[in-house]
Amino acid sequence: MKPAIARTLTTLVHGLLRGLFRAWVLVVPLVLALSLIRLGQLAYFWPTGFHVSTTDLASVVVQGFRFDLKVSAVAGFLLLLVLPWVSGKVQGRIATGVAFLYVMLSLVNLHYFGFYKTPIDSLVFGVVEDDTSAVLQTIWHDFPVIWTLLLALALTAGSVWLHRVLLRRLRPDTVLQSRHIAIQLALAIVVFFALVFAGKGTLREMALQRQHLTVTTSPFLNDMVPNGPIALKYAWDSRGQSQNLQNPLVGLKAMGFNSPLAAAEALGLPHGSEAEVKAALTAHEPLPPGTPKKNLIFFLMESWSAEPLLYQSSQFDVLGRLAPTLMDPTKACHFSNFDSAQPGTHPTLEAILFSTPITPLTMGDVGRKPIPWSIPKVIKDAGYQTLFVTSARSGWRDLNRVLAVQGFDEVVDANNLKESYPDATLGIWGVWDSYVFKYLDKRLAAQPKDKPLFVFVLTSTNHPPYDLPADYHRVPRDMSLWKGETSSDTLLLNLDTYHYAADLLGGFVQSVQSGPLKSNTIVAATGDHNVRSFGMYAEPARRYLQRQVPFVIWGEGLQCGPQQALPASHRDMFNTLLPLIGVNGPYVNAGRNLLRTPQATPMDAPRTLFFQGESRNAQGQWQLGNKASFACSSPPGAQPAAGECQFNASDDQQERARFGLLDWNVRSSLKK
């Protein structure tokens, strides 16, 4: 070999070996820091009285370590482009920056789990898509920002200290330089593939992926597996999929179906062609002749969780004037085993209005064109005047523009309410909810009798930082009657804002029930999602409460039927409400009519669907397509007999088919 070539080869091998050892010296402190945060997260959120086996706990720690090793090795691998050639000082700065980034992401993941009860997901991008100033104010007010930053700096400093110790001990810049070039080359190959397999997360099996986050039957423990970087990566992947509608089969294939025809067959729907499937998705039974059209006032109540209703009493009042409206079964149907569609307000709003598991759907070009099956459009086409009212600012997520296109004649928000009521104070998220109800009373009184009205109301006061008007008198409660978790430091504040919003709703319902519109007006209300203050729901006995929100319908002469205690969810609401108010049209059969006796068909089965890929039946809940994730959990009095609580493959297939068809309907109809 010529001397010049030999020198070049030696330089390259020395550089590669130096970079590889530097990468591994970086990986070790990163893995240690991420693993420490996971252990801290487990301890920080561990629910009182929650017991698991040592084996399950060890599985979580080990699997978490594997994901920590994976993301750290990926960082080391990517940095091979620079680590072989930079100075020791620059190398130290790189290590500091990467350590702080990884530590900070995992601490954000910790607080994100505390808020949403899930690792970082696509909702995290709301930081820039929502009112960023309001989001940051809420974060500052509601989270220990200073302590989190100090902890991040401390963990980063510890990682940098360990990095320097390893550098001194292992001397990666000079190791083995006296050895023969062949030995160095062989070692470089071995160390390189060690880094590759660490980034893969395994030696023999397929690389660690999202499905490997499930290692126990406890969703709480499984949520402890992902670190911040991997959770953000999966959130980014999900967001990318939701933003690209060009491939209509993406969602179907993710659910295990190669075509909409196969999914329709699993649901017992006509499946001779795609056109036949689409027609079946919007086909409805004819309404009885002469069915009168009624006003519909629908409330999507911010963070209106179901659990507080379980403890309602005169000594533990969380409902105020709403409580007596729930007593008469001929005037109120309360569906008490009911789940939300999404964990956040905007995703839930889109799921309800557009029957879409894809979110955010309407923030781009899609939102600028009418969606044919949009709920307000269907109701408007049936001859209604349509109105969206919120105590928040409608510029949030471009609602003011999107909703006007999707069938609402008017959008009234905090700014309009401030103009109508000069005494209203604009806070972080908008005005107090009381101004919404003042406006509704006035608007209903002025509505022409020959023009039915549909109002969709979005409240906002029951939201962090849980502020209330200065003239609101907080209600004393006997907290010994609260049988839920008590670890949240905002529990009491949250119960106050919960009562405030529920009491206002109750006052409105009572006003309608005693007024001239009582015979031709339906009022309905649900929550957009559960709220973090009420617990982690880690124990199997409480797990069914994790997604639960109330759903109540008020009206004259209601026949509530036998489904009030059966599993149901947001997808069922407008399949129930539209026939009740005399509206037919091309809305999607996302769910079932809860006022009817359920039929023995897949489309009528009493199950819930959480649009992030979970379902629940009378026995328990599971991630779609993941048998190992099934967890037994049912409301008191509804527990299945011994041996009956197990994963049902038929239920899973049908829910995967439903989810896949809803996804396909959106993509195939709205792609450019």
Side-chain angles (χ1 to χ4, degrees):
M1 185 182 295
K2 295 182 179 179
I5 297 176
R7 284 195 300 272
T8 301
L9 178 60
T10 300
T11 300
L12 288 174
V13 172
H14 283 172
L16 178 60
L17 198 57
R18 179 170 58 248
L20 286 167
F21 273 95
R22 282 178 167 182
W24 271 108
V25 168
L26 174 63
V27 165
V28 173
L30 290 179
V31 170
L32 182 60
L34 297 182
S35 295
L36 283 174
I37 293 173
R38 176 177 297 100
L39 294 175
Q41 184 171 328
L42 274 164
Y44 188 66
F45 291 117
W46 195 272
T48 303
F50 180 54
H51 301 286
V52 297
S53 68
T54 304
T55 301
D56 281 353
L57 189 57
S59 297
V60 168
V61 173
V62 170
Q63 192 76 338
F65 173 84
R66 293 176 67 193
F67 274 99
D68 295 342
L69 183 59
K70 175 185 177 73
V71 297
S72 301
V74 167
F77 187 83
L78 294 176
L79 287 171
L80 284 179
L81 294 172
V82 296
L83 285 179
W85 324 115
V86 298
S87 66
K89 181 179 291 187
V90 173
Q91 175 198 355
R93 291 173 180 170
I94 291 173
T96 301
V98 174
F100 181 77
L101 175 64
Y102 272 37
V103 164
M104 200 63 206
L105 282 176
S106 285
L107 290 176
V108 168
N109 185 59
L110 180 151
H111 289 303
Y112 194 92
F113 175 81
F115 192 90
Y116 288 109
K117 302 179 181 66
T118 179
I120 289 172
D121 59 17
S122 57
L123 290 181
V124 75
F125 302 108
V127 171
V128 293
E129 294 167 346
D130 290 347
D131 183 334
T132 301
S133 175
V135 171
L136 293 178
Q137 286 183 61
T138 301
I139 291 173
W140 177 259
H141 185 282
D142 215 43
F143 293 92
V145 176
I146 299 298
W147 285 109
T148 299
L149 289 172
L150 290 175
L151 179 58
L153 292 173
L155 287 170
T156 301
S159 300
V160 171
W161 173 82
L162 179 57
H163 180 258
R164 290 174 178 171
V165 169
L166 292 174
L167 286 176
R168 287 197 301 268
R169 295 289 179 86
L170 299 177
R171 293 177 295 155
D173 293 359
T174 59
V175 67
L176 298 178
Q177 283 193 7
S178 61
R179 299 290 184 179
H180 192 277
I181 187 64
I183 296 176
Q184 295 184 44
L185 182 59
L187 184 61
I189 293 172
V190 170
V191 176
F192 175 80
F193 279 103
L195 193 64
V196 169
F197 282 115
K200 183 172 179 256
T202 181
L203 291 175
R204 295 179 299 174
E205 304 169 353
M206 62 187 300
L208 284 179
Q209 297 179 31
R210 189 182 301 222
Q211 63 264 32
H212 296 115
L213 296 175
T214 302
V215 293
T216 76
T217 58
S218 168
F220 170 77
L221 289 181
N222 292 336
D223 286 343
M224 297 296 111
V225 173
N227 51 53
I230 202 69
L232 183 61
K233 191 266 184 190
Y234 290 146
W236 180 262
D237 291 346
S238 297
R239 178 176 174 78
Q241 189 179 82
S242 74
Q243 299 296 297
N244 184 359
L245 304 181
Q246 298 310 302
N247 182 357
L249 300 181
V250 166
L252 277 169
K253 289 186 175 181
M255 291 293 111
F257 297 94
N258 290 322
S259 72
L261 310 185
E265 183 178 12
L267 288 170
L269 295 174
H271 53 279
S273 66
E274 290 191 3
E276 199 171 64
V277 174
K278 274 194 180 293
L281 283 176
T282 55
H284 311 288
E285 292 183 4
L287 297 174
T291 301
K293 284 186 168 57
K294 297 184 177 182
N295 301 318
L296 174 59
I297 318 299
F298 179 88
F299 291 87
L300 186 61
M301 304 286 287
E302 172 63 44
S303 300
W304 200 38
S305 305
E307 186 174 11
L309 275 72
L310 300 177
Y311 317 126
Q312 166 67 24
S313 70
S314 57
Q315 292 78 37
F316 191 85
D317 184 12
V318 290
L319 295 181
R321 289 172 289 172
L322 189 66
T325 72
L326 302 176
M327 304 303 293
D328 187 346
T330 67
K331 294 184 178 180
C333 301
H334 176 201
F335 298 91
S336 59
N337 194 3
F338 197 87
D339 289 2
S340 68
Q342 290 276 9
T345 303
H346 186 258
T348 291
L349 187 66
E350 289 195 323
I352 292 171
L353 292 180
F354 311 121
S355 299
T356 173
I358 303 170
T359 189
L361 178 68
T362 58
M363 293 186 64
D365 293 340
V366 169
R368 303 296 194 271
K369 302 174 183 177
I371 296 174
W373 60 88
S374 163
I375 292 297
K377 183 179 186 303
V378 168
I379 297 178
K380 180 177 180 177
D381 291 346
Y384 279 67
Q385 186 171 1
T386 55
L387 175 65
F388 185 91
V389 182
T390 179
S391 54
R393 295 174 173 87
S394 63
W396 173 70
R397 299 280 179 125
D398 274 350
L399 288 184
N400 53 343
R401 296 183 178 89
V402 170
L403 296 178
V405 173
Q406 301 306 333
F408 283 106
D409 295 315
E410 297 178 63
V411 177
V412 176
D413 73 344
N415 293 310
N416 301 112
L417 295 172
K418 172 67 175 174
E419 184 176 348
S420 298
Y421 304 98
D423 60 318
T425 302
L426 277 170
I428 294 177
W429 295 106
V431 299
W432 305 120
D433 288 344
S434 59
Y435 293 101
V436 163
F437 292 94
K438 287 182 181 180
Y439 177 84
L440 288 176
D441 287 336
K442 180 180 177 181
R443 184 59 184 267
L444 285 174
Q447 182 67 17
K449 293 182 179 180
D450 60 345
K451 186 72 171 179
L453 180 66
F454 167 55
V455 186
F456 192 108
V457 183
L458 174 64
T459 66
S460 65
T461 299
N462 186 35
H463 187 288
Y466 305 120
D467 288 336
L468 284 168
D471 59 353
Y472 174 76
H473 299 290
R474 298 180 185 269
V475 177
R477 297 180 188 88
D478 181 357
M479 288 305 296
S480 67
L481 299 176
W482 173 260
K483 305 305 180 185
E485 299 169 46
T486 57
S487 57
S488 173
D489 57 0
T490 59
L491 175 60
L492 298 181
L493 294 174
N494 197 172
L495 289 173
D496 283 336
T497 56
Y498 188 102
H499 174 274
Y500 167 83
D503 177 72
L504 288 172
L505 176 61
F508 176 79
V509 171
Q510 290 186 27
S511 175
V512 171
Q513 289 179 336
S514 62
L517 299 177
K518 64 180 180 180
S519 62
N520 69 333
T521 299
I522 297 295
V523 180
T526 189
D528 56 354
H529 53 77
N530 200 345
V531 67
R532 71 187 183 94
S533 299
F534 299 152
M536 292 293 111
Y537 306 101
E539 298 174 65
R542 287 174 48 78
R543 193 64 182 178
Y544 75 94
L545 287 166
Q546 184 185 24
R547 313 291 186 196
Q548 285 212 336
V549 293
F551 176 47
V552 187
I553 304 172
W554 293 272
E556 288 285 308
L558 289 174
Q559 296 180 350
C560 298
Q563 299 205 53
Q564 291 185 84
L566 296 180
S569 58
H570 277 160
R571 67 174 178 183
D572 303 307
M573 291 189 301
F574 279 93
N575 281 78
T576 302
L577 293 170
L578 294 185
L580 187 62
I581 64 170
V583 171
N584 211 331
Y587 61 92
V588 174
N589 283 314
R592 66 191 196 274
N593 188 333
L594 299 177
L595 299 180
R596 299 189 315 184
T597 300
Q599 306 298 306
T601 64
M603 294 292 285
D604 234 17
R607 295 187 291 262
T608 75
L609 182 60
F610 186 64
F611 280 2
Q612 289 198 334
E614 293 180 6
S615 187
R616 187 170 62 83
N617 57 21
Q619 286 75 43
Q621 63 189 70
W622 70 98
Q623 295 172 358
L624 296 180
N626 188 345
K627 179 180 179 180
S629 68
F630 183 83
C632 293
S633 187
S634 301
Q639 285 88 355
E644 292 185 2
C645 186
Q646 55 188 343
F647 178 79
N648 186 308
S650 177
D651 283 4
D652 177 63
Q653 181 194 46
Q654 291 168 11
E655 289 307 314
R656 285 188 287 111
R658 185 81 71 104
F659 187 99
L661 283 179
L662 291 176
D663 185 284
W664 169 78
N665 180 60
V666 173
R667 294 181 189 277
S668 62
S669 302
L670 303 182
K671 68 177 182 178
K672 295 179 182 179

